[in-house]
Amino acid sequence: RRRAVDALARIAALLQPHDPEQALTVLETALAHDPYNEAVYQQIMRIQARLGRPDAARRTLALLENRLAGLGPEEVSVCELHDAFAVTELQHYVELGFCKRGEVGDFVQGGRIELGGELPLNTHGGLLSEAHTSGMNHIAEAVRQLRGQAGPRQVKDAKVGLVTGWGDFGDGALAILRQ
């Protein structure tokens, strides 16, 4: 199995400069055979970043769901999303599968993303409250939440934290942390 996955990764590397979409298809096939192959996963992320794809975060979550044995958006306890721009935060809800396009306005209404809501967001106040240090504070807050050490910001029974980072050229990162 390992040799087949390695061969698919080499084929994808050859395809990438000429047909990155086909390279992604080949790599996703490789990942289906070996969902824990970090090299294949990283190769997929590099192609997505280079393409500047608006659905890269969603595709990433789908791959992580495969790697984490079926973890989906409904199992996330707390989100620490890159929020340097309001539109980025809203885009993340859609691209990560929390809601569909055109539904994000309704999704964020009614306290859903507040502390005590269905999907608490940026419980530490977000990037502007914490000096916009490239998302490291998002990671630290997610860890505090999962350890039960967030004090008055604590999300009850937090088990899964999702953290995103977003760059100026459409590149991004996503981390899913579990207790």
Side-chain angles (χ1 to χ4, degrees):
R1 182 192 307 186
R2 176 73 180 166
R3 273 198 245 169
V5 169
D6 289 344
L8 288 169
R10 285 192 300 276
I11 290 168
L14 292 171
L15 283 170
Q16 181 181 339
H18 310 288
D19 191 349
E21 289 296 333
Q22 188 62 35
L24 283 172
T25 301
V26 170
L27 289 168
E28 288 169 358
T29 301
L31 200 59
H33 292 288
D34 185 2
Y36 298 97
N37 188 311
E38 191 66 27
V40 171
Y41 173 72
Q42 292 297 329
Q43 194 173 354
I44 288 171
M45 289 303 299
R46 280 193 301 275
I47 293 171
Q48 290 172 335
R50 245 179 251 130
L51 288 172
R53 302 208 37 159
D55 65 343
R58 185 171 178 75
R59 190 181 286 262
T60 301
L61 183 61
L63 294 171
L64 287 171
E65 285 177 315
N66 192 359
R67 287 185 64 202
L68 298 172
L71 179 67
E74 66 281 353
E75 297 177 68
V76 174
S77 308
V78 60
C79 275
E80 306 297 339
L81 301 182
H82 185 94
D83 61 343
F85 306 100
V87 69
T88 307
E89 176 187 321
L90 298 174
Q91 180 185 11
H92 282 152
Y93 290 125
V94 173
E95 299 302 340
L96 292 168
F98 291 109
C99 63
K100 295 179 182 169
R101 290 191 193 285
E103 297 176 0
V104 72
D106 292 334
F107 179 79
V108 299
Q109 296 296 316
R112 177 178 273 144
I113 62 171
E114 295 174 9
L115 191 60
E118 181 183 323
L119 185 66
L121 169 73
N122 294 346
T123 51
H124 61 316
L127 292 175
L128 293 178
S129 295
E130 298 230 335
H132 194 168
T133 56
S134 302
M136 284 310 299
N137 289 343
H138 281 5
I139 295 281
E141 178 66 9
V143 169
R144 282 191 291 269
Q145 289 290 341
L146 297 177
R147 289 181 176 173
Q149 299 172 339
R153 300 183 316 271
Q154 185 61 50
V155 172
K156 185 178 182 197
D157 300 323
K159 303 274 187 247
V160 177
L162 184 142
V163 179
T164 64
W166 210 255
D168 294 335
F169 302 105
D171 54 329
L174 180 129
I176 295 178
L177 309 172
R178 294 173 25 153
Q179 257 189 351

